[in-house]
Amino acid sequence: MSLTHCSLPVLGFAAFSGTGKTTLLEKLIPALVEKGIRIAMVKHAHHDFDVDKPGKDSYRLRKAGATQMLISARYRHALMTETPDRECTLNQLLGQLDQNNADLVLVEGFKHNAFPKIELHRAALDKPWLHPEDPNIVAVACDDSSSSSSASSTELPSTSPPRLDINDIASLVGFIQRWMESHNAQTATCDSLSPTLLSVDDGRAKILDAIAVSEHTETCDLNELPHRVLAADIIAPVNVPSSTNSAMDGYAIRSDDIEREGYRLVSDVFAGHHYAETLTAGECVRIMTGAPVPEGADTVIMREQASDDNGTVSFDTTKGAIRAGQNVRQAGEDLRRGATVFQAGKRIGAAELGMMASFGFDRAEVFKPIKVALFSTGDEVQAPGTAAKSHCIYDANRYTLRAMLTKLGCEILDFGIIEDTEAALHATLSNATEQADMVISSGGVSVGDADYIKTVLSQLGDINFWRVNMRPGRPLAFGKLGDVPFFGLPGNPVAVMVTFLQFVEPAIRKMQGDAHWQPETLSAITQERVRSRRGRTEYTRGIYSISANGQLEVRSTGSQGSGILRSMSEANCLIEVSPDVDNAEVGDRVTIIPLASRL
């Protein structure tokens, strides 16, 4: 039977009556909950039962003929459904669970259905073993006498599944946790649901706490500065403006001479030139925008108010009042000499570059590009341009990572595809650590991957393997190989890109000294339901646009599988659904992360 109505791990407990299934579960469930695992429970009864008490309102209404009775109170609600014609299947029952609020489904009963189960066995009952006839039993939990009894019905066969002590709750909890991880790894997707305790924010904070700003700087000329990060403050060497100047084309006069009816025109002053004399009462100069105001003058009247009669200039005050000091930019009004223009940590764009050039700077001290060693792992991965091999995939991740690293101005050391051997991985990591400021691998860090990968990483450094509470994007490995940060990213293409954006890019920007960077986020109205799960940060590939009434709207790109790169190519944003939201419904306001400047 395919449990198509449930995306959660489902684990049953199979046993004969009297084995103590319910008693065991009463002890096991609290222990699992203490580990942070949210439990949904399905119990099958072979006899008729009633969950309501005679005399209660809900009981009376159901007996009156309501085939579905939904009762709700402050702390719980229950739906009672009459099924006189046919008993519900396990699959149908699973479909009724709120799967957004659980990590694991435990089933008591349905022992003849095909789904993973732990067999419970007590020798005192003298019952036969179930697992020889049921290939879906993943372990047996029995008492000591079950494995030592000489009775044919209870003797534990040598070919049995893993054996657990039915009285050791901690051992049972440990097995279930390992089984859940194995179950999720076998689904071949980073999106598998599993008990994860590390939030996106916590993971990013842990990474940034472990990252240090680079100490390597260099001095570059203006042509090499775009997109680099300043390693030292830029200090204004002059006043801006450098002199008191005119803010428009017009005529400069003295403010203590405003009431005069006619002024003698004594000169024309163009930008880049100046009037060397002191302007006296009764005099004016024709002045252009940006030209220095003559000594003694402090007011400029716009050309449109002026009339020139053979060198005698008058002004029409009906076109605008004349105020002392108008239309004049004072020296140092924008920046005074010695003031900080840009602080260290500022990334240089076109405007910053132009401003530095306007001060006369022809070079600046910036952080050196971060050297990033990059490689892919897996015998199933092959290089583009080679003949397609059976059961292999082309290496897309390395090229998407190269593009994103290039966007950040990194120097890339590409080690290619590394074969799945301990020697090859050890040599590559050792070589990369010697040459690079950061090491990034793609694939090979999931639960269930070859043990030597984790062994080699532990030999060379201190690496943590995290299951971050996000989708897509887990698992993630992070730590240090000596003093060099290491990121082990997932194998699925979209998960690689999302994980890079959330964790690797912030780390690189900190190493580059980019002290003021924050990812751009916007708020938009979703035009469709965006699925999520409470407690987990969900990233959906989306397309945002501006509606006819000026409202920012967003919709998904369609199918959201972690291996569907086309959905990422079509997206211009990620729709972020926060952990405190079950789902984003049509019309809800959601956070979007624009991608145009980051991919």
Side-chain angles (χ1 to χ4, degrees):
M1 180 184 70
S2 176
L3 302 182
T4 56
H5 291 179
C6 188
S7 58
L8 299 174
V10 179
L11 182 63
F13 291 84
F16 287 96
S17 179
T19 308
K21 296 188 295 294
T22 301
T23 301
L24 176 67
L25 286 167
E26 282 182 314
K27 299 176 182 177
L28 183 61
I29 290 174
L32 290 168
V33 170
E34 189 175 346
K35 297 293 184 181
I37 303 173
R38 297 173 300 173
I39 302 297
M41 186 76 216
V42 176
K43 177 178 173 61
H44 181 247
H46 292 287
H47 51 79
D48 190 17
F49 69 94
D50 203 321
V51 297
D52 219 354
K53 292 182 179 180
K56 291 291 184 181
D57 290 349
S58 54
Y59 180 91
R60 292 167 58 195
L61 295 171
R62 186 160 53 87
K63 292 301 182 182
T67 57
Q68 294 188 60
M69 181 67 225
L70 179 61
I71 181 171
S72 176
R74 168 63 181 82
Y75 294 104
R76 67 188 58 85
H77 64 266
L79 173 64
M80 291 166 280
T81 304
E82 302 297 313
T83 56
D85 299 326
R86 179 180 298 179
E87 183 177 13
C88 287
T89 67
L90 175 59
N91 201 33
Q92 291 171 329
L93 294 172
L94 293 174
Q96 297 181 39
L97 295 176
D98 180 3
Q99 296 177 37
N100 290 318
N101 288 306
D103 300 302
L104 171 66
V105 180
L106 298 181
V107 178
E108 182 182 345
F110 293 101
K111 68 180 179 182
H112 297 300
N113 289 161
F115 69 100
K117 298 181 280 286
I118 294 177
E119 179 180 356
L120 306 181
H121 190 277
R122 294 189 186 277
L125 296 178
D126 195 24
K127 296 290 186 180
W129 293 94
L130 299 174
H131 63 266
E133 305 299 328
D134 187 350
N136 296 291
I137 290 178
V138 296
V140 294
C142 56
D143 51 17
D144 288 339
S145 57
S146 295
S147 59
S148 59
S149 174
S150 59
S152 59
S153 62
T154 59
E155 185 176 358
L156 188 65
S158 59
T159 58
S160 67
R163 177 195 166 203
L164 306 169
D165 185 345
I166 197 171
N167 299 311
D168 188 345
I169 298 300
S171 176
L172 285 166
V173 169
F175 174 83
I176 292 172
Q177 287 182 297
R178 292 190 299 273
W179 174 82
M180 290 177 70
E181 291 181 342
S182 175
H183 171 275
N184 291 321
Q186 291 169 8
T187 61
T189 170
C190 289
D191 299 342
S192 303
L193 301 176
S194 64
T196 57
L197 301 179
L198 190 64
S199 71
V200 173
D201 290 341
D202 287 344
R204 186 162 46 235
K206 288 176 181 288
I207 289 170
L208 292 178
D209 284 344
I211 295 293
V213 178
S214 173
E215 298 179 353
H216 305 298
T217 66
E218 59 185 354
T219 300
C220 298
D221 64 31
L222 285 179
N223 291 330
E224 298 174 301
L225 289 181
H227 311 301
R228 301 290 292 275
V229 179
L230 288 169
D233 292 349
I234 298 295
I235 305 299
V238 295
N239 287 327
V240 179
S242 58
S243 62
T244 301
N245 65 82
S246 176
M248 61 172 55
D249 292 348
Y251 294 84
I253 64 171
R254 298 172 62 101
S255 61
D256 59 3
D257 201 25
I258 287 177
E259 301 300 327
R260 188 179 299 274
E261 292 186 0
Y263 299 84
R264 182 167 60 90
L265 181 63
V266 296
S267 182
D268 290 325
V269 184
F270 297 92
H273 301 271
H274 73 288
Y275 179 62
E277 305 296 328
T278 300
L279 201 68
T280 62
E283 295 180 334
C284 71
V285 296
R286 184 184 292 116
I287 193 167
M288 305 303 163
T289 303
V293 174
E295 187 73 26
D298 60 1
T299 302
V300 173
I301 305 166
M302 63 181 180
R303 185 174 55 189
E304 290 78 5
Q305 286 182 259
S307 60
D308 184 351
D309 183 10
N310 294 321
T312 299
V313 179
S314 59
F315 303 105
D316 185 356
T317 57
T318 64
K319 294 182 179 180
I322 300 173
R323 299 182 303 276
Q326 71 180 25
N327 302 324
V328 172
R329 298 177 65 225
Q330 300 297 322
E333 185 176 281
D334 288 347
L335 277 171
R336 292 199 172 275
R337 181 180 177 180
T340 300
V341 183
F342 301 121
Q343 293 182 332
K346 177 73 172 178
R347 189 173 289 270
I348 302 171
E352 290 77 20
L353 193 67
M355 196 166 178
M356 289 170 62
S358 72
F359 279 114
F361 291 106
D362 65 343
R363 60 190 63 240
E365 184 182 0
V366 292
F367 289 99
K368 284 186 175 181
I370 301 298
K371 291 183 180 179
V372 179
L374 176 66
F375 63 89
S376 298
T377 62
D379 288 340
E380 78 282 5
V381 181
Q382 67 177 99
T386 59
K389 301 176 183 178
S390 178
H391 308 300
C392 288
I393 57 173
Y394 285 113
D395 185 6
N397 292 345
R398 194 157 44 93
Y399 293 92
T400 56
L401 289 171
R402 282 183 64 99
M404 289 189 286
L405 290 168
T406 301
K407 189 91 172 179
L408 290 170
C410 298
E411 182 179 333
I412 302 168
L413 308 177
D414 193 340
F415 285 78
I417 302 170
I418 308 304
E419 63 178 313
D420 277 337
T421 67
E422 184 172 348
L425 185 63
H426 194 287
T428 299
L429 286 170
S430 298
N431 194 10
T433 303
E434 292 176 0
Q435 300 182 54
D437 302 305
M438 177 184 287
V439 179
I440 300 176
S441 74
S442 169
V445 297
S446 300
V447 174
D449 285 318
D451 288 340
Y452 66 77
I453 294 179
K454 300 175 180 63
T455 300
V456 172
L457 289 172
S458 64
Q459 290 172 351
L460 297 175
D462 182 16
I463 307 296
N464 294 310
F465 294 87
W466 293 341
R467 300 194 69 82
V468 184
N469 221 348
M470 63 186 287
R471 177 184 181 273
R474 60 177 183 265
L476 170 71
F478 171 75
K480 295 285 189 72
L481 300 174
D483 294 326
V484 178
F486 169 83
F487 285 91
L489 304 185
N492 284 322
V494 175
V496 162
M497 299 176 76
V498 173
T499 306
F500 183 96
L501 292 172
Q502 294 303 316
F503 302 109
V504 184
E505 180 179 355
I508 289 176
R509 287 185 178 273
K510 182 175 180 179
M511 291 181 71
Q512 291 174 328
D514 198 345
H516 309 291
W517 178 80
Q518 288 292 331
E520 180 185 14
T521 59
L522 300 171
S523 179
I525 301 297
T526 179
Q527 300 302 293
E528 60 185 71
R529 187 175 191 265
V530 181
R531 72 164 184 155
S532 183
R533 172 184 170 199
R534 186 176 292 272
R536 178 176 69 188
T537 304
E538 190 92 13
Y539 296 99
T540 297
R541 281 81 81 192
I543 301 172
Y544 73 90
S545 58
I546 300 177
S547 67
N549 61 5
Q551 174 65 57
L552 205 60
E553 298 177 341
V554 68
R555 60 180 175 82
S556 78
T557 57
S559 181
Q560 296 292 305
S562 288
I564 304 176
L565 263 177
R566 186 179 69 176
S567 66
M568 201 69 173
S569 175
E570 294 173 347
N572 63 9
C573 70
L574 293 176
I575 305 170
E576 182 181 78
V577 181
S578 64
D580 59 347
V581 175
D582 283 327
N583 293 290
E585 305 295 343
V586 175
D588 284 353
R589 187 168 292 278
V590 294
T591 297
I592 63 172
I593 304 170
L595 297 176
S597 64
R598 301 179 67 185
L599 296 182

